[in-house]
Amino acid sequence: MIIHHPLLGPRDASEFVYLGDASLMNRPNPKSETAADDFYSYQYLRDNPMGEHRELWYHEQGDRSWLVVTRNTLTHDITKVELARDVARAQK
Amino acid sequence: MPKLSPTLPLESFSKHWPGLTIEEHYIGELISLAIAREEESAFKTAFKKTFGKAPPEPSQLMAVKGGYAIWSSLEQYLILLEGENINADKDIAKKMGPSAYTTLQSDGWASIDIKAKTSKSTALYDVLERFIPLNLRQAPEGFTSRTSAHHIAVIVIKYSETEIQLLTPRSSAGSFLESLIHTAENVLS
Amino acid sequence: MSLIDTTKTLNFTFNGKAYQGFEGDTLASALLRNKVRIVGRSFKYHRPRGIMGAGSEEPNALVEIHGAGTCEPNRRATTIKLFEGLDARSQNHMGTLNFDALAINDFMHPFLASGFYYKTFMWPKAFWEKLYEPVIRRAAGLGTLSKAVDPDSYDKGFLHCDVLIIGAGPAGLQSALNLGLGGKHIILADDDFRMGGRLLSETYEIDAAPALTWVEQTLKTLESLPNVRLMPRTAIYGVYDHGIYGGLETTTDKIGIAKPRHILWRIYANSSILAAGATERPIAFANNDRPGVMLASAVRSYKNRFGIELENTALLTNNDDGLRTDAAHIFDTRNGDYVMDVGGRKGVRSVTLNTGENVAANHLAVSGGWNPNVHLTCHKRGRPKWDEALSCFVPDTHTLPSDMSVIGAANGKFSTHGAFMDANDICEKLGVKASELPQTEDAPVKISAFWHVKGTKRAWVDFQNDVTAKDITLAHQEGFSSVEHVKRYTTLGMATDQGKTSNVVGLAVLADAIGQSIPETGTTIFRPPYTPVPIGAFAGTHRGQHFKPTRLTPSHKYVAENSATFIEAGYWKRSQWLAREGEKGWRDSVDREVLMTRNSVGICDVTTLGKIDVQGRDAGKFLNKVYVNTFSTLKVGKCRYGLMLREDGIAMDDGTTARLSETHFVMTTTTAKAGPVFRHLEYVRQCLYPDMDVHLISTTDQWAQYSVAGPNSRKLLEKIVDPKFDISNEAFPYMACGEITICGGIRARLFRLSFSGELAYEISVPARYGDTLIREMMHQGEAFDAVLYGTEALGVMRIEKGHAAGNELNGTTTANALGLGGFVSKKKDCIGKVLSQREGLVSEEALQMVGFIPVNPKDKLTNGAHFIPKGTAPSPETDHGYMSSVAWSPMLKTYIGLGFLKNGQNRLGEVIQASHLMGNSHVDVTVVSPHFFDPKGERLRA
Amino acid sequence: MGYSAFRILKEAITGHKGWKPVWHKAEPLPEYDIVIVGGGGHGLATAHYLASKFDQKRIAVLEKGWIGGGNVGRNTTIIRSNYMLHENEAFYEFSLKLWEGLEQDVNYNAMVSQRGVLNLYHTDPQRDAYIRRGNAMLLNGADAQLLTAEGVRKMYPFLNFDDARFPIRGGLLQPRGGTVRHDAVAWGYAHAADKRGVDIIENCEVTGFDIKEGRCHGVQTTRGRIGAKKVGVAVAGNSGRVMAMAGMRLPIESHVLQAFVSEGLKPLLDGVITYGAGHFYVSQSDKGGLVFGGDIDGYNSYAQRGNLPVVEDVCEGGMSVMPMIGKARMLRMWGGIMDMSMDGSPIIDKTHIDGLYFNGGWCYGGFKATPASGYSFAHLLATDSYHETAKAYRLDRFARGYMIDEKGQGAQPNLH
């Protein structure tokens, strides 16, 4: 597969390491009363859709940036690639 | 008094073919610079003062005072300084001030130069197309990028149409060179 | 211009018999020129097989190439380029090719209908493995794979282009011409060793001259363009995501040459044009598998391209294209003529028509129409659609990959003019001016579908796997009515030709059996590779020692000079022990290394441990997030042990972190976890806490690091460290760290760290000084009999001290299990903190690390033994844990072990059984504290 | 009259007219006692055991495509019971024992061939882990032997003993492990279930559940509504999609695992070999093809096809451990959808919705589990209690902290 890195352009996906669903960026608040349940569903449950899926890739053999890639899990078409840092800062 | 002497990662390796030369290139000093959070402008002015130019864009080698500079990651740059100076990172740190964090990286990398005799000979790119997954044939001069070749990390720098430099981690440099020479033999001999 | 150079004769042997061919021949054409009719045997019935096709669609002519002490099985004679000295042999027969003992299966065929083996061989039960299966397996398979190491070399490469053109027939050449002259960077690939496609095998004219003239001129123009790359003998075998294509280049068919036999190309193309032409299909009728029954297009190919006249040929066709074949007798199904049977067991001698007439013939050319080569459009789940008028499947633009277009015969445009028209249209779409259209034939397709002559005798559909029309109707009768079920039940299309000539005919027979149209019955889709690819080609140079890279430590040369035995640690090579004269086994060396280190001083290379530079104002705060204990309070010049958890609360890695300045920490990881920890830290930094001022960079290779351990370690180092640095215990106590200079001003770092439990330092210098530093230290160490120690001795010492290592940090153990619960800071959160408090991870019954000593000091302990309470029989219910690390302790003169025991902390003193059932050894052991040696740590604080 | 050599003789003489469909194409009834969603190996096995061992009636198996079209038709056909944790080993040994009696149970020859599974090791930690695993196998009544490098060389002399980057130091052998003709498993169970009155309904995709007040009353399908007292879902890679229709999120990600077969070769490899220093395992089918595979691609996918890096990685492993394989040619590559769970072990449990049961999370080990999964799922559906060997496969184990993590890779599906 080819991932269009926002700063470096198209790169072979074999330079990247896949982590999983981008929901892993939303780490729950450890101090809330429902922390145990929140962390359980955050760590263990997944939408696992057949279709559009926002996921985390790490450019290990490139610039060591984490990317949020929007990819269709049936056709593998990639429609969007963002720097995870920018997405994280926007969410704060 | 005990005495220490430095060794090159590839012991000054050099091999020649009719159209091509592959040899170890003395790397000089490598320093990694990182921009302190929210001090981009202070960093930029310090960088200009220290190296004579604004920090480079991704994928584009930039000549600076004392050598070259490469964008290596988000808010990180790699400076290649000619000459030997074990405390190069400390000297740079003094000049750059608090907006930058420096790390000495010279010993972490080995450097290999691949040079073609003439720009007409395609030997340089015939070998590299069997080794590096990037499109170096059509890349502009000054193109630089980090990728992997034969499962080993490599920073590619296209100095000119006839000279390309490969930086690769020191511990696996011997393994990397062996693979590169094997590929060159397959293509050229 | 002839395609065969009759001035260059090439000698070759087939089954040991000498023949001659010419430069430009394939093995198949050379065999036909020499009138060889039988070349192989079919898979199930072992019926004699002759050459049927002229390209990769060939189902029958499979041979072994022998050479360089090995052999290559299942090679199609039609795609082997003849070379001097070729040694080809037929395969898949017991006895000789002409007298195959297994041909008995042909007489047993009523009992061997497809799927028979699912319905028998079930009684008596033991007979399956003892009798039935061995017989089946011995008769199975086609060619022989030599057990010798593959002597050939293979290479890989990477190509980039605007447009990849697949197939160099008229359509491919014309679009290459347009795009090449238009300045696009293109690759034109064809799996034949000559470019030209069908033009090489027909007698068409282009611009009033033989078509080959146009081919020659076009190739000359293309060769002159720098932006065009011609790749003959390169099969595009697979289409992958986002414009990545797999190509296999064949440099020669000769085995054991110095240069690579194959190059596996990964091609990145912005778009591709599939111009792969079409494959002619046979017709199913009784005994249509006799040697001499051939595709009409192949007969023309052997005549026009290779100059071979096949004597006394009859033709059976259902379309006009077939009529281009020179034949003594012509049977056209559209006139009601068709073949009922073919006489001649070892080769065609006569043909019986539906009129009952019997015609003498030596060859029968058959044309059932053409199938566009749509295979590559299916690799990304595209499905072709049925074209009733053309009576074939054509690409369906709706399911085509967006960056692929199909032109020429592959798109159902079977005339040369049609191919040129398609080529020009596509180039216009790609924004390039098309060159003017060459004048050539534009014969319309005239065909009326005729698939199968019904009858009692067997009519072959898949010639290699011996699937007959009856097999397909029987499959339907048994309920296997979906195309995929029929393929799996009958093995239709699963032979090495991948159904190129059989899939569509088989589908037609199935549709007829069900009573539906072909499109209603289904479409045949194809999986990569288009043609089989040697596994060696996919491996390239990554085999033997080059399977994975090798990482060497800075002291590698020096320890190798001292006869180190190396062990793999990930990609690193580390010295395991360093034997000396007279030492018989590794235990002698390891015991010596431990005793000399404990009693004087030993040096060990620890460079392989991951080293990560953590810098920034928020570096301390960041480390608080990833470690269970607190680092923001660590003073400059101090180190601290840290335990890192995964978010699920399980231990991930541990190591010491040193603070060199207010904003500069250096973290150490285990060798195995260096990569994953760095990736995890970047995830925490970029994705969870992007506002922190913290920066990471790996410095593992930058610094050579050595552990200098033992009571005399300080005395030795004082000879190296420049005098202005006081490394006494008072000035440089346990867990101190700092930047120093050594040997007259050389920059270095010193840490008071001890994994061995001895008074120990770790000294690190820029890697350029790594080799010379260890030599100098060992030289200075002669006064103290300093030793080099390896990972084995390090292992013994850390087990004596009760330190957890890789075996304990195995991804299922918590801080409590490792006896490190006390480290977990109560005040702050960290990754893994919340989920580490789950019931199962904190329960009394959970496993806890403890020490084990055999009750009888002479007993040996085994790592991996299970702990079974005394007096109970070993069972899953009585299994209370397992041994994780074991060593002979030269200090305690007994075997010692670390392991995990249910509720271990509260069972010290208990005697329990360590059961190694596989070695049927059951050793009584006493549960003790894991800190066997110097439990209070007085030595390391000396 | 069942299938046997005599039946083949009789039919051969009479022109094969007497063969009946292996299973009947049933039309869906409005209501069943038990509806199984998923006509793969696990679904069909569940139906067979429900009818044959638990005396259940009015059972239907709903398959969206054609039976055996999913993972049971796309795997590398290996059966074994060489797991380290008791929660798994008890279950897989039970499955291996069921395999050993399968032909006689369903009267269909799935060619269960026990010619041994050998896991190679290359480092001391790997050896120690295999000793721990071998001992756990023996504790559960399975068979296990530890071989030295010499022992491995005697079995397979063509392995790479002379020029290996990661030398072979020995192996863990399970002699009773082996291979089974995968297609025949689906057809065999379908045949036996069909004979006991189970309705097998193909081209019938479930599009929703009928759930009122926390109870499931049946399913909506592309062929109309079908009522049921109990619904058992066994859809492997589609688990996430199907259970989402019941409003559930699962601890599962769907991943593509590629598998490969070579051209047919004369016999040269008897048992199954797995390489310990790379991603490669291989066996030879009865037709002569080398059936091999390695790791999953690593990213979520329902595409049933993979990409090149894994193909090259597997072949690099193959060439490094058995350098003769270079001249064997890869004939076909395909992919299945693996339901990768958060600890690498499966889930066979009730759900918070009464009458709705779930079976999934098989990662790439589902084929060898087919009989035991069918049996224990039938046990749960019939008796509402857990089968002894499957009691640990609870959906809530992650919340309670009782993960069953063989590889110790934690909550990241693509590492299991």
Side-chain angles (χ1 to χ4, degrees), chain C residues 454-688:
Chain C
K454 291 208 178 73
T456 54
K457 290 187 177 173
R458 287 169 297 168
W460 267 262
V461 176
D462 185 322
F463 292 83
Q464 187 177 132
N465 269 359
D466 279 329
V467 180
T468 65
K470 267 199 286 190
D471 287 326
I472 296 173
T473 45
L474 174 60
H476 166 60
Q477 179 187 324
E478 293 199 78
F480 298 101
S481 305
S482 97
V483 176
E484 293 299 331
H485 273 154
V486 168
K487 275 175 73 171
R488 285 174 160 81
Y489 190 64
T490 65
T491 73
L492 166 72
M494 293 168 89
T496 61
D497 61 322
Q498 299 158 313
K500 288 190 171 65
T501 55
S502 58
N503 275 353
V504 177
V505 175
L507 186 58
V509 170
L510 176 62
D512 180 56
I514 299 174
Q516 286 173 329
S517 73
I518 289 181
E520 283 164 324
T521 307
T523 44
T524 56
I525 61 167
F526 300 92
R527 298 205 165 280
Y530 174 66
T531 46
V533 176
I535 291 172
F538 275 119
T541 57
H542 298 294
R543 51 186 289 193
Q545 291 302 333
H546 296 294
F547 169 52
K548 292 290 186 207
T550 304
R551 297 179 77 179
L552 304 181
T553 58
S555 63
H556 185 84
K557 221 153 116 219
Y558 178 68
V559 292
E561 289 159 16
N562 286 274
S563 61
T565 299
F566 289 101
I567 181 83
E568 289 76 31
Y571 289 170
W572 292 97
K573 293 256 186 207
R574 296 187 74 176
S575 50
Q576 197 172 11
W577 59 76
L578 299 98
R580 285 193 179 157
E581 283 306 314
E583 285 177 346
K584 283 185 286 319
W586 60 274
R587 269 282 308 282
D588 297 350
S589 315
V590 174
D591 290 359
R592 169 180 50 81
E593 287 170 21
V594 170
L595 289 168
M596 291 296 288
T597 301
R598 290 261 192 242
N599 298 330
S600 176
V601 58
I603 297 177
C604 174
D605 190 321
V606 292
T607 304
T608 63
L609 275 73
K611 293 184 272 301
I612 300 173
D613 231 32
V614 183
Q615 293 195 59
R617 296 187 302 276
D618 299 324
K621 214 169 90 179
F622 176 77
L623 293 174
N624 288 352
K625 280 292 175 191
V626 293
Y627 279 121
V628 295
N629 43 345
T630 307
F631 277 83
S632 47
T633 57
L634 181 64
K635 290 195 201 52
V636 173
K638 286 291 183 205
C639 311
R640 180 168 291 165
Y641 170 83
L643 178 67
M644 188 181 291
L645 302 182
R646 298 187 309 233
E647 191 69 87
D648 66 355
I650 303 286
M652 171 177 182
D653 198 41
D654 69 350
T656 56
T657 292
R659 187 168 202 161
L660 295 182
S661 81
E662 197 46 42
T663 60
H664 187 189
F665 292 80
V666 177
M667 171 193 286
T668 320
T669 79
T670 58
T671 302
K673 287 290 189 333
V677 165
F678 189 84
R679 186 166 51 231
H680 172 68
L681 296 183
E682 284 287 18
Y683 158 71
V684 172
R685 182 177 82 93
Q686 295 179 37
C687 299
L688 301 184

Side-chain angles (χ1 to χ4, degrees), chain B residues 5-7 29 35 37 76 86 89 101-103 105 107-108 129-130 133 138 171 175 178 186 189, chain C residues 155 158 160 185 229 259 546 550-552 613 615 691 693 695-698 701-702 747 768 772 776:
Chain B
S5 51
T7 53
E29 300 299 344
I35 308 174
R37 177 101 176 88
Q76 262 188 33
I86 191 75
D89 59 325
Y101 301 110
T102 62
T103 307
Q105 284 289 69
D107 306 72
E129 77 182 12
R130 297 263 280 270
Q138 285 156 28
S171 61
S175 211
E178 217 178 294
N186 278 345
S189 58
Chain C
D155 210 352
F158 311 89
H160 304 257
H185 285 277
R229 180 172 185 135
K259 301 195 69 169
H546 296 294
T550 304
R551 297 179 77 179
L552 304 181
D613 231 32
Q615 293 195 59
D691 294 330
D693 177 34
H695 300 271
L696 307 171
I697 190 154
S698 167
D701 277 13
Q702 164 64 28
R747 167 189 191 160
R768 71 188 86 172
T772 182
E776 195 56 52

Side-chain angles (χ1 to χ4, degrees), chain C residues 74 118 122 129 133 137 140 143 152 156 241 477-479 485 533 535 547 549 571 838 840 866 879, chain D residues 22 25 67 86 104 109 113-115 132 165 264 269 286 305 307 312 316 320 327 330 398 400:
Chain C
N74 304 328
Y118 294 129
M122 289 184 275
E129 251 132 35
E133 192 183 28
R137 282 180 78 86
D152 277 321
K156 296 188 191 181
D241 281 319
Q477 179 187 324
E478 293 199 78
H485 273 154
V533 176
I535 291 172
F547 169 52
Y571 289 170
R838 283 177 291 169
H866 288 238
D879 183 348
Chain D
V22 178
K25 304 279 187 293
I67 63 165
H86 294 311
Q104 288 60 39
N109 182 13
S113 311
Q114 297 176 279
R115 296 189 305 279
R132 179 183 162 198
R165 172 75 178 77
L269 175 56
D286 282 346
R305 65 178 174 82
N307 276 296
E312 295 177 39
E316 287 171 16
S320 299
K327 293 235 166 302
M330 185 182 296
F398 303 102
R400 293 185 297 110

Side-chain angles (χ1 to χ4, degrees), chain B residues 1-3, chain C residues 719-720 722-723 742-745 776 780:
Chain B
M1 164 67 91
K3 198 182 154 327
Chain C
K719 293 179 182 289
I720 299 286
D722 288 344
I742 62 173
C743 304
E776 195 56 52
Q780 299 296 335

Side-chain angles (χ1 to χ4, degrees), chain D residues 22 31 35 40 48 59 64 92 110 156 158 161 179-180 184 198 234 296 306 317 350 365 392 406 416:
Chain D
V22 178
E31 181 76 27
V35 159
H48 166 68
I59 304 162
K64 72 175 188 319
Y92 285 99
Y156 299 114
F158 49 74
F161 290 96
T179 58
V180 175
V198 170
I296 56 176
K350 308 171 192 164
E406 289 272 336
H416 290 296

